[in-house]
Amino acid sequence: MYLGQVIGTVVATTKYEGLEGRKLLVVQPLDHNKTPSGPYEVAVDATEQAGTGELVFLVGSREAALAIKPSFVPVDSAIVGIVDSVDARDRSAP
């Protein structure tokens, strides 16, 4: 599971069976300090509530494919929640 910020949307008129009616969103992955931690990715919105500017948490790989019910769909990342706040302390500090 990892953090991300929704930065845009993807429009696809034709989708794989099981993805019809699902939003595809462009997400910037973030580390625990909300700093960008990788390239943009497209994620399917399993919450059906995320929008541009939202801080979200995602799952990847097999977990992403299983997040969309009722079927196993070919996706690499899925938004599974919207984050209200993050409280991360630096573990290297005394």
Side-chain angles (χ1 to χ4, degrees):
M1 205 176 303
Y2 56 101
L3 292 173
Q5 183 168 25
V6 179
I7 60 168
T9 60
V10 174
V11 176
T13 55
T14 304
K15 295 180 184 175
Y16 186 85
E17 183 179 335
L19 290 175
E20 302 94 343
R22 299 288 183 166
K23 288 192 296 185
L24 300 176
L25 301 171
V26 181
V27 177
Q28 169 64 69
L30 305 172
D31 66 15
H32 66 285
N33 292 316
K34 300 183 196 173
T35 304
S37 65
Y40 300 151
E41 55 187 65
V42 175
V44 63
D45 183 10
T47 69
E48 299 182 20
Q49 298 175 5
T52 303
E54 300 259 26
L55 184 61
V56 296
F57 62 95
L58 304 100
V59 291
S61 303
R62 182 173 176 81
E63 289 77 15
L66 293 171
I68 306 302
K69 300 290 181 193
S71 62
F72 185 88
V73 294
V75 296
D76 290 328
S77 62
I79 297 170
V80 293
I82 298 173
V83 177
D84 294 321
S85 66
V86 176
D87 180 15
R89 293 178 176 82
D90 186 357
R91 294 179 186 219
S92 64

